[in-house]
């Protein structure tokens, strides 16, 4: 487990300032703004100084888990009676935005914990499962991961081959299979795993670290989300108690419901990454002089900045509205999918333009942009690729299924 | 121990300062307000002390309703309750009078302020308040500890450090090194929703000063770089242009 002293703290201070071109803050409550500023202050003090070193050396900063839990980054949208935040969806979104403003990998850790591990336990778990896991997951005492993707089944999770059968002892099931590309897997204490039962129906199973036959090899060599740990989940005849099966759901609806919650958070998070790239490029362009004047004065650079803030403003409005619909319980999966796709694509484009604006300086870790740019390649891939989200919107508006 | 912490609502440190009403008023349009950073230290210290010896922390602000986000933040950080004296904080004398008026009837053991507010940098409230309440005051403190009714304090003085002891009740103002400001958390923010924030009307205190006008400092001139070989030019410029030698 990596400790604070394992990282080199940058002496550069994080100068980030929020950008709110359409006065969206007026649509937030004072409490929303306090929540956002709280996470921003925490990020600037604790995460920004070490994030570049963590990403360069591909080391997940485990020691930050306590602080992130203490601030309330894990499951803020779930009820306080289980030790969670009890906040609304806009608050949840703002927290994800501020985390990803610093790094998509750190936001991923919080997304997986809150939306993909705590949320299914809350939504589909038994009362005992909720009491056993949620308070510890909220406090960071336990960390979780979410196993859906398999080596041969990514965009098409319905084809999964991970499966379990009754152990015949009246108490356990026997789980076999493998999951791949799993965020947090190398250090997670629990895994929410989606597997087929003997009838071929997808069920959620909580697998605890330490169960014989369960291993979590780490995936190395990523050029993206380097400050987040990714790995596999391998199950070889793992005996899992029957009470670890999530009783409340069956079929693909289970994992897809979790993905809705996580995709919603990602749509806010992507705005954070875009804002950080824009903020950095804007400040740099005003200071950097070429041909005797600041590069911000050149039309080609202004075009980039103008397009960036326009796209950010549009995404902020779309996402705020989505937050309101989430709070009212009216957001459809297709609406969430659209926001995820739009905002992540927007952030990818802004990261590329912003990187170019910094010239050679944009290539080093001196500035955050290239890290964001590489991170966003994962964000545009996981939780449904950009293409898959186009198919979701396409099917929603035409009624025609173009997946198969 | 009953602690009162005075919270001032000030423009964020990155604010671009402009004025209105013939340069007699600070233009608050579009400005973000925060808890005065020194007051945040005072608040954090108050919480640390009451966590150690027991007691309550009340945050007080003299200000209009637009200061409430900062007061809620003080509650989220951990203050037990808060009071807002509903009036524009026109000058230090007025603010101190209003706080004294409230504190009079509440018998606080310790009153903490920041060493100054970062907007007008007056640094007067602590001293005035102590005088009005007939309490001793120690300014610009870097350490405070409480043992029974004895407070030990430290402050930086010219060329050294002063350590002193004093009996409660006391007014003290916080300097940078006092502690690390505490960042609230979601639990605190939730709890702040239901903590009492009492609004009281101002007494009949009057301001005893008036702002005639504000001026921004002159813009910084461009920096001239002179190479080592041309040290003579430097001397000449210091003579003729800067006129400092
Ligand atoms: C860093 C990282 C972390 C991850 N974390 C997790 C995690 O925690 N848990 C988890 O379960 N998964 C996780 N994933 C996996 C991620 O969700 C998958 O990679 C993603 O769903 C895509 O699946 P795939 O990689 O198998 O690609 P494929 O499904 O093989 O897709 C390859 C390409 O084909 C396209 N494609 C596929 N089907 C169609 C179609 N019908 N029509 C048109 N185009 C199509 C896709 O858009 C894509 O461009 C993570 C991935 C990464 C990179």
């Amino acid at each position: 487990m990596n400790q604070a002293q394992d990282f080199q703290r940058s002496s550069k201070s994080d100068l980030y300032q929020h950008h709110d071109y359409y006065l969206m803050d007026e649509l937030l409550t004072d409490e929303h703004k306090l929540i956002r500023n709280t996470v921003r202050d925490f990020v600037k003090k604790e995460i920004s100084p070490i994030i570049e070193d963590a990403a360069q050396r591909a080391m997940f900063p485990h020691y930050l888990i306590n602080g992130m839990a203490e601030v309330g980054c894990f499951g803020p949208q779930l009820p306080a009676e289980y030790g969670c935040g009890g906040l609304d969806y806009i608050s949840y979104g703002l927290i994800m935005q501020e985390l990803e403003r610093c790094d998509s990998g750190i936001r991923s850790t919080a997304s997986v914990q809150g939306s993909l591990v705590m949320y299914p336990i809350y939504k589909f778990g038994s009362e005992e499962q909720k009491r056993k896991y949620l308070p510890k997951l909220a406090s960071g005492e336990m960390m979780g991961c979410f196993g859906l993707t398999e080596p041969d089944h990514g965009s098409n999770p319905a084809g999964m081959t991970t499966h379990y059968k009754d152990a015949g002892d009246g108490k356990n099931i026997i789980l076999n299979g493998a999951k791949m590309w799993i965020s947090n897997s190398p250090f997670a204490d629990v895994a929410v795993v989606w597997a087929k039962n003997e009838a071929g129906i997808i069920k959620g199973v909580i697998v605890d670290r330490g169960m014989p036959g369960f291993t979590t090899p780490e995936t190395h060599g990523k050029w993206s989300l380097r400050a987040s740990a990714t790995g596999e989940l391998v199950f070889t005849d793992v005996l899992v108690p029957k009470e670890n099966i999530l009783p409340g759901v069956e079929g693909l609806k289970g994992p897809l419901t979790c993905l809705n919650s996580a995709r919603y958070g990602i749509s806010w998070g992507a705005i954070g990454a875009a804002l950080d790239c824009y903020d950095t490029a804007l400040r740099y362009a005003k200071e950097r002089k070429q041909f005797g004047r600041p590069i911000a004065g050149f039309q080609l650079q202004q075009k980039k900045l103008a397009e960036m803030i326009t796209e950010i403003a549009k995404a902020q409005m779309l996402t705020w509205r989505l937050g309101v619909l989430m709070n009212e319980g009216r957001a459809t999966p297709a609406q969430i999918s659209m926001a995820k796709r739009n905002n992540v694509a927007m952030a990818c484009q802004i990261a590329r333009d912003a990187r170019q604006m910094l010239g050679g300086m944009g290539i080093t870790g001196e500035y955050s942009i290239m890290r964001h740019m590489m991170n966003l390649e994962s964000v545009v891939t996981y939780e449904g690729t950009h293409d898959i989200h186009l198919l979701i919107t396409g099917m929603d508006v035409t009624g025609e299924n173009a997946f198969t | 121990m009953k602690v009162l912490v005075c919270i001032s609502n000030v423009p964020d440190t990155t604010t671009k300062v402009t004025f209105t009403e013939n340069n007699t008023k600070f233009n608050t349009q579009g400005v973000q307000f925060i808890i005065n950073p020194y007051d945040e230290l005072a608040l954090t210290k108050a919480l640390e002390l009451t966590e150690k010896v027991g007691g309550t922390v009340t945050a007080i602000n003299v200000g209009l309703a637009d200061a409430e986000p900062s007061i809620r933040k003080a509650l989220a950080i951990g203050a037990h309750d808060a009071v807002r004296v509903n009036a524009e904080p026109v000058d230090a004398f007025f603010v101190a009078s209003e706080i004294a008026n409230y504190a009079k009837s509440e018998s606080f053991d310790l009153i903490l302020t920041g060493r100054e507010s970062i907007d007008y940098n007056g640094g007067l409230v602590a001293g005035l308040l102590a005088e009005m309440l007939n309490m001793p005051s120690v300014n610009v403190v870097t350490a405070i500890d409480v043992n029974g009714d004895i407070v030990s304090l430290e402050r930086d003085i010219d060329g050294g450090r002063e350590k002193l002891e004093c009996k409660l009740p006391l007014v003290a103002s916080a300097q940078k090194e006092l502690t690390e400001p505490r960042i609230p958390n979601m639990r605190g923010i939730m709890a702040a929703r239901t903590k009492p924030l009492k609004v009281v009307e101002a007494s009949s205190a009057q301001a005893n000063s008036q702002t005639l006008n504000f001026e921004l400092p002159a813009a910084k001139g461009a920096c001239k770089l002179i190479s080592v070989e041309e040290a003579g030019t430097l001397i000449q410029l210091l003579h003729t242009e800067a006129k400092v030698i």
Side-chain angles (χ1 to χ4, degrees), chain B residues 9-224:
Chain B
N9 187 40
V10 300
D12 189 16
T13 43
T14 54
T15 304
K16 204 163 167 271
V17 176
T18 57
F19 304 107
T20 57
E21 296 183 25
N22 254 337
N23 289 336
T24 58
K25 262 202 142 149
F26 169 63
N27 182 7
T28 58
Q29 195 71 42
V31 173
Q32 282 266 11
F33 281 80
I34 58 170
I35 299 182
N36 180 40
Y38 293 112
D39 302 351
E40 218 165 89
L41 299 178
L43 173 62
T44 305
K45 194 65 199 181
L47 295 168
E48 289 167 6
L49 289 173
T50 51
E51 278 156 16
K52 195 181 115 189
V53 303
T56 57
V57 175
T58 301
I60 189 167
N61 166 264
V62 179
L64 300 174
D66 57 10
E68 286 197 3
S70 286
I71 305 174
R72 280 278 168 225
K73 181 174 178 191
L75 291 169
I77 292 173
H80 299 87
D81 61 346
V83 178
R84 180 170 67 82
V85 180
N86 188 27
E88 195 169 337
V90 273
D91 72 357
F93 182 80
F94 176 79
V95 169
S97 306
E98 290 301 336
I99 296 174
N101 182 52
Y102 178 79
K104 225 168 35 203
S105 54
E106 294 284 323
S107 57
F108 290 103
D109 302 298
L110 178 64
I111 301 182
L112 296 177
T113 72
R115 59 169 283 185
E116 62 187 9
S117 61
I118 59 157
D119 46 4
Y120 298 100
N121 307 86
L124 295 170
V125 171
L128 287 169
L129 188 57
E131 201 53 37
M132 290 168 183
L133 290 169
N134 205 13
M135 288 182 187
S137 72
V138 184
N139 261 346
V140 197
V141 303
T142 53
I144 308 180
D145 205 3
V146 178
N147 238 319
D149 64 345
I150 302 292
V151 197
S152 40
L153 306 114
E154 289 183 26
R155 55 197 299 273
D156 287 339
I157 52 172
D158 214 1
R161 176 161 285 223
E162 182 181 24
K163 292 188 178 184
L164 42 144
E165 270 187 5
C166 187
K167 263 191 132 173
L168 291 174
L170 167 83
V171 179
S173 74
Q175 163 70 321
K176 247 198 196 118
E177 292 76 22
L178 185 61
T179 185
E180 279 268 308
R182 207 175 267 191
I183 295 174
N185 57 35
M186 298 311 139
R187 228 173 310 122
I189 291 171
M190 286 285 283
R193 283 180 185 171
T194 50
K195 285 182 179 174
L197 194 176
K198 188 160 72 178
V199 179
V200 299
E201 287 311 317
S203 71
S204 53
Q206 294 292 320
N208 66 1
S209 68
Q210 189 194 343
T211 302
L212 298 180
N213 81 310
F214 290 115
E215 260 174 47
L216 287 176
K220 276 201 197 115
C223 180
K224 257 187 202 159

Side-chain angles (χ1 to χ4, degrees), chain A residues 3 20 72 76 95 100 142 148 151 162 172 208 218 239 242 262 277 293 320 363 369 384:
Chain A
Q3 301 302 322
D20 180 21
I95 294 171
E100 191 149 3
M142 254 186 190
L148 178 65
T162 299
N172 296 293
D208 297 311
E218 183 158 0
L239 270 188
K242 281 182 177 166
C277 293
R293 63 184 171 118
W320 174 82
I363 297 292
I369 301 181

